[in-house]
Amino acid sequence: MSPVSHREGSPIYNQLRVLRAERGLSRVALAEAVEVHPQTIGAIERGDYFPSLDLAFRLSDVFGLPVEAIFSRKPFVPLSAQVYNKEERP
């Protein structure tokens, strides 16, 4: 499987590392679940490799989430910023 080239200025952000940690999954376990090499999972997490649509759907199925909850063109807001709103409080 050759890496999908990325276009300058069009990154794909992902939540794989966070989702794996929430569920206690290792890279190896996730790779086995979606039938890829563990290095592929690492490359996706680092942003060095963009998954195919088929792989994105397989990852979506493993986590029980829509694809857009795992991958985005915009950076994900950190959980701490979601829970502890950054607006100043009186």
Side-chain angles (χ1 to χ4, degrees), residues 7 14 16-18 20 22-23 27 33-34 36 38 40 44-45 53 56 62 64 66 76 79 84-85 87 90:
R7 295 180 311 170
N14 71 78
L16 283 185
R17 187 173 290 135
V18 172
R20 279 194 313 100
E22 283 180 353
R23 288 159 174 83
R27 284 183 180 167
V34 295
V36 297
T40 301
I44 294 170
E45 288 180 352
L53 185 56
V62 167
F76 287 94
L79 181 59
Y84 302 104
N85 194 345
E87 296 177 5

Side-chain angles (χ1 to χ4, degrees), residues 8-20:
E8 197 65 33
S10 296
I12 295 177
Y13 299 94
N14 71 78
Q15 299 261 73
L16 283 185
R17 187 173 290 135
V18 172
L19 293 169
R20 279 194 313 100

Side-chain angles (χ1 to χ4, degrees), residues 14-34 36-47 55 58-60 62-65 69-71:
N14 71 78
Q15 299 261 73
L16 283 185
R17 187 173 290 135
V18 172
L19 293 169
R20 279 194 313 100
E22 283 180 353
R23 288 159 174 83
L25 283 174
S26 67
R27 284 183 180 167
V28 171
L30 180 56
E32 288 174 356
V34 295
V36 297
H37 195 280
Q39 289 178 341
T40 301
I41 300 299
I44 294 170
E45 288 180 352
R46 289 188 308 275
L55 179 52
R58 285 185 278 154
L59 289 162
S60 174
V62 167
F63 292 114
L65 295 170
I70 302 171
F71 298 98

